[in-house]
């Protein structure tokens, strides 16, 4: 007697995974970890090169503190830039905002209010510029490239008008003391601690909050995000406000570092921040990026600059090296995006 045929497997049953039991999410995490390890490898290689070429100077504690301090200013700007690029935008005005905030915060009238007045002014100016950018882009319908390019020109012009081309020296002791060695905590400069705090907050915002998930969604597909109930215009406004806030904080750090305000402050910061975010794995088209990768990108560029300076190499060679790194990073991004 023949056995009845077994019933066919329901078509709704999921087939077993073909990647060894790992889900697509696990594969994405693994790939992200690979990018981070690659960046750490590059940074480690640069440290070895610096140690070999200038062992006494490069590995000196003072030089390490200098590298971290210099990375702090552009690093804070890069955190804000990373959020903007992840959302599919761009901000070409960050350098001009840093310059404008630094000179506005160091005028004679502002310095009369002391430490709090300088810090408050720098942050408010940054937020104000970010608000203008956000309103023009989110509610004015302007392309981010054009809106922030206009802010770049306007910010630089206003900074020049305020200073009349002169350097504004800081006379507030509380601000100047932050840049002195006596203010270091366990050998760590205060600027580095601020950078670490901004990085930590940025990481939490991107990875552990609804704000971060909405930013990624808007960058991945703005129309799909809108249909999912996300107010895309308001989210973009918030993102440029965040970028402006980071610029204001960076302007204050630059004031502490240099002890002055100049209309030339923040020169080419927009290019350095974009480059650091790109080599850190942030897609220019939006929808993907990490704070950790961007910070490593900042450290890589700052270390390169320091090695070149210690070896008395020309600035032109340094710029060529940076350009080559950016090209390689973009090519790697395109390759990983298609795999």
């Amino acid at each position: 007697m023949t056995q009845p045929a077994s019933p066919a497997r329901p078509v709704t049953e999921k087939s077993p995974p073909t990647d060894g039991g790992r889900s697509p999410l696990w594969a994405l995490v693994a790939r992200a970890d690979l990018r981070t390890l690659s960046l750490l490898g590059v940074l480690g290689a640069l440290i070895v090169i610096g140690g070999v070429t200038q062992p006494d100077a490069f590995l000196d504690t003072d030089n390490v503190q200098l590298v971290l301090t210099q990375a702090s200013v552009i690093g804070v700007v890069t955190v804000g830039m990373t959020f903007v690029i992840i959302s599919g935008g761009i901000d070409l005005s960050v350098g001009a905002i840093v310059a404008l905030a630094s000179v506005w915060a160091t005028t004679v009238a502002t310095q009369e209010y002391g430490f709090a007045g300088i810090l408050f002014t720098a942050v408010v100016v940054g937020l104000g510029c970010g608000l203008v950018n956000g309103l023009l882009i989110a509610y004015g319908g302007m392309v981010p490239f054009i809106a922030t390019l206009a802010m770049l020109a306007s910010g630089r012009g206003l900074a020049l008008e305020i200073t009349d081309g002169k350097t504004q020296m800081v006379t507030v002791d509380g601000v100047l003391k932050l840049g002195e060695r006596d203010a270091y905590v366990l050998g760590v400069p205060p600027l580095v601690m601020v950078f670490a705090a901004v990085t930590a907050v940025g990481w939490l915002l991107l990875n552990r909050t609804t704000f971060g998930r909405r930013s990624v969604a808007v960058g991945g597909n703005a129309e799909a995000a809108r249909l999912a109930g996300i107010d895309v215009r308001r989210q973009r406004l918030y993102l440029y406000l965040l970028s402006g806030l980071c610029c204001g904080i960076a302007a204050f750090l630059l004031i502490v570092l240099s002890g002055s305000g100049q209309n030339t402050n923040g020169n080419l910061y927009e290019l350095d921040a974009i480059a650091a975010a790109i080599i850190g794995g942030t897609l220019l088209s939006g929808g993907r990026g990490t704070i950790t990768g961007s910070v490593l990108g900042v450290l890589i560029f700052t270390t390169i600059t320091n090695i070149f300076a210690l070896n008395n190499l020309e600035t032109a060679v340094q710029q060529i090296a940076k350009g080559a790194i950016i090209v390689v990073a973009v090519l790697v991004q395109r390759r990983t995006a298609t795999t």
Side-chain angles (χ1 to χ4, degrees):
M1 185 175 180
T2 59
Q3 296 292 332
S6 59
R9 178 177 296 180
V11 295
T12 57
E13 184 177 338
K14 294 183 179 179
S15 58
T18 58
D19 59 349
R22 295 180 178 180
S23 65
L25 179 60
W26 175 268
L28 181 62
V29 172
R31 190 167 64 180
D33 289 342
L34 181 59
R35 293 193 194 98
T36 302
L37 290 174
S38 300
L39 292 172
L40 287 172
V42 172
L43 183 59
L46 289 173
I47 293 174
V48 171
I49 293 172
V52 170
T53 57
Q54 294 290 334
D56 296 330
F58 182 78
L59 299 177
D60 184 71
T61 302
D62 291 340
N63 187 63
V64 174
Q65 291 171 337
L66 175 63
V67 171
L68 293 176
T69 301
Q70 292 176 337
S72 298
V73 180
I74 186 61
V76 171
V77 175
T78 303
V79 171
M81 180 70 79
T82 300
F83 275 92
V84 171
I85 297 178
I86 286 175
S87 70
I90 199 73
D91 192 348
L92 301 179
S93 64
V94 291
I97 295 175
V98 169
L100 179 59
S102 69
V103 300
W104 207 323
T106 55
T107 60
V108 175
T110 302
Q111 293 193 53
E112 291 179 354
Y113 293 94
F115 183 99
I118 293 176
L119 175 59
F120 177 79
T121 302
V123 171
V124 168
V125 171
L127 282 171
C129 293
L131 177 63
V132 173
N133 281 337
L135 289 175
L136 290 175
I137 294 167
Y139 295 94
M142 291 188 67
V143 177
F145 182 91
I146 300 300
T148 57
L149 184 62
M151 177 60 72
L152 183 157
S154 301
R156 286 290 178 191
L158 186 54
L160 180 60
E161 180 68 22
I162 291 174
T163 61
D164 195 24
K166 301 175 182 178
T167 300
Q168 298 178 160
M169 303 304 298
V170 177
T171 59
V172 179
D173 290 338
V175 175
L176 295 175
K177 288 181 178 178
L178 278 179
E180 298 177 355
R181 186 167 296 277
D182 292 340
Y184 289 12
V185 179
L186 300 177
V188 181
L191 274 66
V192 177
M193 291 187 287
V194 173
F195 176 35
V198 171
T199 299
V201 172
W203 187 91
L204 290 172
L205 272 178
L206 182 60
N207 297 282
R208 294 292 185 268
T209 67
T210 304
F211 180 85
R213 291 190 291 272
R214 288 176 177 174
S215 300
V216 174
V218 170
N221 190 320
E223 180 61 19
R226 185 187 68 81
L227 295 175
I230 298 176
D231 190 331
V232 175
R233 293 190 299 179
R234 184 172 61 185
Q235 185 68 21
R236 284 176 174 159
L237 174 61
Y238 288 162
L239 287 163
Y240 282 95
L241 277 171
L242 177 61
S243 179
L245 173 62
C246 289
C247 289
I249 296 173
F252 179 77
L253 297 183
L254 193 55
I255 292 171
V256 173
L257 183 61
S258 63
S260 64
Q262 305 176 53
N263 66 287
T264 56
N265 281 343
N267 187 35
L268 297 181
Y269 271 21
E270 54 278 358
L271 299 184
D272 288 342
I274 293 171
I278 290 174
I279 72 170
T282 303
L283 288 180
L284 271 176
S285 56
R288 192 185 77 192
T290 66
I291 298 298
T292 303
S294 295
V295 170
L296 289 174
V298 170
L299 293 176
I300 287 172
F301 275 138
T302 308
T303 303
I304 289 175
T305 301
N306 183 258
I307 292 174
F308 275 54
L310 291 177
N311 287 278
N312 296 318
L313 296 177
E314 296 181 0
T315 304
V317 180
Q318 173 186 323
Q319 299 300 329
I320 293 172
K322 285 185 176 181
I325 292 174
I326 295 171
V327 170
V328 171
V330 172
L331 291 176
V332 170
Q333 276 190 5
R334 293 186 62 180
R335 182 174 181 83
T336 57
T338 57
T339 58

